[in-house]
Amino acid sequence: NGRVMRATELLETEACYKCDDEITNLKAIMTDQFEAIANQSRLNLQQGLVNVLSQLERLAVRVDRRVNSMEERLASMEGQQVINPEIGSEPNPAVCCKQIKDNVDGAQDGLYHLRSPGGVVYETYCDMTIAGGGWTLVSSVHENDIYGKCTAGDRWSSTRGSSRNYPEGDGNWANHNTFGSVGSATNDDLKNPGYFGINASDVMLWHVPNDTPMSQYKSAAYLRYYTTNGFLQQYGGNMYHLFKDHFRIVYNGGTTADNGPAIPITWDNGNDDLRMSLIAPSTVPQVTPGFVQFRVFNTERAPLAVCPGVRYNGGESDALCIGGAAYWPQSAPSQCGDFSAHAWSGYGTHTGWSSSRLELESVVMFFYR
């Protein structure tokens, strides 16, 4: 259009006064062309609008169908409540059993799913009733063969024999290794991520006969006791930090004067007299019942990890306490193992330095809260 208008201007300024007819004819031709172009543009615009409207109509049909489908779904769900997975379930694991107890009304004893600080989801047993509940099973110590001295299965002492070369044994009291399963906690050792991952205040111990099925762990536990003074908070919040940072389990790391803390206990099942009736008779004068003690040395400077149910006052702790390192110099390797020298005077004879058969053939379970 601009070029046509420019041509007209040039023609009108030419010194051609006798060319009026030509100019008139040219203007007529241009006008006809303008009208043709305008008509075509209107047609193109109309067709474009028709196409756009057609597309909008098709889109509207699809939207209507989608809305109808959503309305039908909403109608079918009317009156229903959308429920989030309960805490402690596999889709929504908890930090510890105490968190489940505090957030789930009527939570019962049994299996729940937990998540470690590192993101590992694992299943373990929760006791939801003793002393208010919220106890997490984190480990069990099981003697699979009292005659196999620091061999396979002695994970809480040494699986590599009795040797000065391994003064800390396997070191599982103070590392991040895990082993066993909650369902086999009475016929094998157990250590789950909660042992080193849960920030706890107290411990609970159960003494349960070997090979007890999980459904009977609690009812079969002839000794059940727990601490109440929150002592773990002084030592990092769990036994991992207690042993790693405060009371190392290492041969020749101290004497009986360097024994670790003895924490008073409250009995849930059993009592001081029952506890004393099960231990080796020769150890009775050397202990005080009503405690759980950690990292105790014997006369030969060999460490034991835990003295369950008692405080050890003498030097023969290997006949009663459990777990430890890898070297006991007296008659080595006779004292090496998860249950050390509990059968020193014969297997389950309950004479001299030997414990009762029930004591020897039971696991000790550890819980946190």
Side-chain angles (χ1 to χ4, degrees):
N1 288 342
R3 289 194 297 271
V4 172
M5 293 300 295
R6 179 60 177 159
T8 303
E9 291 172 359
L10 290 173
L11 288 171
E12 288 177 343
T13 58
E14 285 289 332
C16 185
Y17 305 110
K18 297 181 180 180
C19 296
D20 291 341
D21 292 340
E22 286 81 355
I23 294 172
T24 299
N25 291 335
L26 180 59
K27 285 185 176 180
I29 292 171
M30 292 178 178
T31 299
D32 291 341
Q33 290 178 349
F34 288 152
E35 290 179 355
I37 292 171
N39 289 335
Q40 185 62 45
S41 297
R42 282 193 294 272
L43 289 173
N44 290 342
L45 178 61
Q46 290 172 356
Q47 185 60 46
L49 290 173
V50 169
N51 291 337
V52 170
L53 289 172
S54 177
Q55 293 175 15
L56 289 173
E57 287 175 355
R58 289 195 295 271
L59 178 61
V61 170
R62 290 199 298 270
V63 171
D64 284 342
R65 289 174 179 170
R66 188 70 176 271
V67 170
N68 290 337
S69 175
M70 293 175 67
E71 288 177 344
E72 291 174 0
R73 291 177 60 191
L74 289 172
S76 68
M77 295 172 64
E78 187 175 355
Q80 297 181 10
Q81 182 180 4
V82 178
I83 301 175
N84 292 324
E86 192 170 75
I87 188 168
S89 62
E90 189 171 9
N92 187 20
V95 172
C96 62
C97 297
K98 182 68 163 59
Q99 184 185 23
I100 300 171
K101 178 65 177 180
D102 291 344
N103 289 277
V104 178
D105 292 338
Q108 301 295 311
D109 297 348
L111 292 177
Y112 293 88
H113 286 86
L114 307 182
R115 185 192 303 275
S116 74
V120 176
V121 176
Y122 61 100
E123 191 175 37
T124 193
Y125 182 89
C126 296
D127 180 87
M128 298 300 195
T129 52
I130 294 177
W135 297 95
T136 305
L137 176 64
V138 297
S139 62
S140 70
V141 180
H142 168 265
E143 179 54 73
N144 70 315
D145 180 9
I146 195 68
Y147 297 117
K149 298 301 180 179
C150 285
T151 53
D154 286 319
R155 300 182 187 90
W156 292 109
S157 50
S158 171
T159 59
R160 298 177 290 183
S162 176
S163 172
R164 290 178 182 268
N165 296 328
Y166 308 114
E168 296 183 357
D170 284 6
N172 285 321
W173 293 98
N175 63 29
H176 283 201
N177 292 341
T178 58
F179 39 80
S181 66
V182 62
S184 59
T186 58
N187 53 39
D188 198 2
D189 295 323
L190 168 68
K191 182 185 176 189
N192 64 37
Y195 177 87
F196 47 80
I198 292 175
N199 183 16
S201 296
D202 286 290
V203 298
M204 178 168 66
L205 279 68
W206 291 2
H207 296 234
V208 184
N210 290 348
D211 300 321
T212 298
M214 185 174 59
S215 61
Q216 298 174 28
Y217 284 174
K218 189 172 187 176
S219 60
Y222 53 90
L223 297 177
R224 297 193 301 263
Y225 48 92
Y226 54 91
T227 65
T228 60
N229 64 359
F231 78 101
L232 280 178
Q233 287 298 300
Q234 303 175 49
Y235 304 112
N238 52 50
M239 292 193 297
Y240 163 78
H241 283 294
L242 182 146
F243 291 121
K244 183 177 185 295
D245 303 327
H246 301 276
F247 302 98
R248 291 182 61 209
I249 300 174
V250 55
Y251 170 67
N252 205 26
T255 69
T256 55
D258 301 304
N259 289 348
I263 311 300
I265 60 174
T266 296
W267 291 99
D268 176 68
N269 189 43
N271 51 48
D272 290 353
D273 290 340
L274 178 58
R275 182 72 192 108
M276 297 294 282
S277 72
L278 296 170
I279 65 177
S282 295
T283 64
V284 171
Q286 300 188 17
V287 304
T288 303
F291 296 86
V292 55
Q293 190 171 15
F294 301 90
R295 210 286 304 278
V296 173
F297 289 100
N298 73 357
T299 302
E300 294 81 31
R301 294 174 172 257
L304 285 301
V306 180
C307 297
V310 302
R311 179 181 65 212
Y312 214 95
N313 308 311
E316 308 303 326
S317 50
D318 46 85
L320 188 154
C321 305
I322 62 176
Y327 186 64
W328 282 261
Q330 182 184 10
S331 301
S334 298
Q335 296 161 296
C336 199
D338 288 354
F339 277 18
S340 194
H342 292 203
W344 188 265
S345 300
Y347 186 94
T349 60
H350 203 204
T351 60
W353 297 104
S354 285
S355 65
S356 64
R357 192 181 186 96
L358 178 60
E359 174 96 347
L360 193 62
E361 296 179 353
S362 296
V363 302
V364 180
M365 293 181 170
F366 291 83
F367 295 75
Y368 288 162
R369 185 176 68 180

